[in-house]
Amino acid sequence: WQSSSFSFLFTGLIIQKTNYRLFKETEKEAFRHVIMKHGFLSHFFSKPLNEHCKFTLHRMTRLLILGSSFKRVKKEGFIPAIKRYDGVFFRVTRKRNSDTNLPILILTEDLELIDSDKMIPYRNPKGEDWKKIQTLTTKNQLEILKKRNSNILKKIIDEKKVDEIFIAVGRKYRSTLPSLEDYNGKVILPKGGIGPTAKNLKAWLSSSEQSLK
């Protein structure tokens, strides 16, 4: 009897969880009738499964890191960084991102990681030379910035329990990002230039992986 009861229990849980989708209507009713007649699991069919089994579904948390762009919105005053920078990756992000809870960090030309919502003024990029790392004069300054950025990144990863990170930062600036060697989640660093990276970013933002993991 104990073995039969366990079998009914296990099968009943599966059926309740899958909403009987594996059975035809007549088979479902017949199976339900047998269980109800014999008194097994009658209470399982009268209440939702989550009232019997306490469990928590984990929502995947993702993080996006963008590098500053040459093209910027020349609007006076302060506006959010995600709206100030207007390069391809930023336009793709603004258009394709439907997850209002997606944390986004931006690596500025000063090599500082800032929140995408941080209000910043317009700064005129210095021609094509803006791509070159000219803000640093010593290796020590770079290490100080990397340590500060590492603390910012670690805090977000720990607080939000980030499972996956997408990095859309130019090659010249990638070396200034904090090390992710100790990060146990998934890191996506697309290969290729702006085109392939933008395509991957678009697909990533549109991905259904923002649903339950």
Side-chain angles (χ1 to χ4, degrees):
W1 183 90
Q2 290 182 347
S3 176
S4 298
S5 178
F6 178 81
S7 177
F8 273 118
L9 173 63
F10 183 76
T11 307
L13 286 174
I14 294 178
I15 295 173
Q16 176 72 10
K17 187 173 183 179
T18 58
N19 201 24
Y20 303 143
R21 282 175 292 185
L22 299 179
F23 293 83
K24 295 179 181 178
E25 291 300 321
T26 55
E27 293 173 328
K28 287 189 287 186
E29 288 303 317
F31 189 83
R32 181 187 178 99
H33 174 73
V34 170
I35 293 177
M36 297 295 287
K37 179 178 180 180
H38 291 279
F40 297 128
L41 297 175
S42 59
H43 62 293
F44 273 96
F45 289 92
S46 61
K47 295 181 181 180
L49 179 64
N50 59 2
E51 290 187 19
H52 305 287
C53 305
K54 300 300 181 181
F55 56 88
T56 301
L57 294 175
H58 172 62
R59 176 177 290 278
M60 174 181 281
T61 301
R62 308 196 297 177
L63 170 66
L64 174 60
I65 300 178
L66 300 174
S68 59
S69 65
F70 176 81
K71 190 174 182 180
R72 303 162 193 196
V73 175
K74 296 180 180 180
K75 186 176 181 179
E76 295 184 359
F78 289 75
I79 62 175
I82 191 67
K83 294 182 179 180
R84 175 65 71 187
Y85 294 107
D86 201 35
V88 174
F89 302 154
F90 288 89
R91 294 198 296 273
V92 168
T93 299
R94 291 196 297 267
K95 182 177 180 179
R96 293 291 175 176
N97 179 37
S98 60
D99 183 3
T100 56
N101 294 317
L102 175 68
I104 303 174
L105 291 177
I106 297 173
L107 183 68
T108 69
E109 59 267 38
D110 294 325
L111 307 182
E112 295 183 55
L113 276 178
I114 63 173
D115 189 87
S116 61
D117 291 330
K118 182 176 180 179
M119 307 294 284
I120 62 173
Y122 173 77
R123 290 175 58 184
N124 189 35
K126 300 178 181 179
E128 289 298 323
D129 289 339
W130 79 275
K131 295 181 180 180
K132 299 178 181 179
I133 304 174
Q134 298 180 337
T135 56
L136 304 175
T137 56
T138 67
K139 183 178 179 179
N140 185 52
Q141 286 179 298
L142 175 59
E143 291 304 318
I144 291 174
L145 276 172
K146 288 183 72 172
K147 184 176 181 179
R148 182 173 67 181
N149 289 339
S150 179
N151 292 334
I152 293 173
L153 187 56
K154 185 177 185 302
K155 182 179 180 182
I156 290 181
I157 290 175
D158 292 343
E159 288 183 352
K160 297 186 177 296
K161 296 179 172 53
V162 175
D163 301 292
E164 185 174 279
I165 302 175
F166 189 104
I167 300 176
V169 176
R171 282 176 289 182
K172 293 181 181 296
Y173 280 80
R174 288 178 187 175
S175 61
T176 68
L177 287 172
S179 173
L180 291 170
E181 291 181 358
D182 297 329
Y183 174 60
N184 296 321
K186 181 179 181 181
V187 177
I188 301 176
L189 189 61
K191 296 180 180 180
I194 294 177
T197 299
K199 182 178 180 180
N200 280 292
L201 176 59
K202 178 180 177 180
W204 186 77
L205 290 170
S206 304
S207 173
S208 60
E209 288 182 10
Q210 293 184 49
S211 60
L212 295 178
K213 186 177 179 180

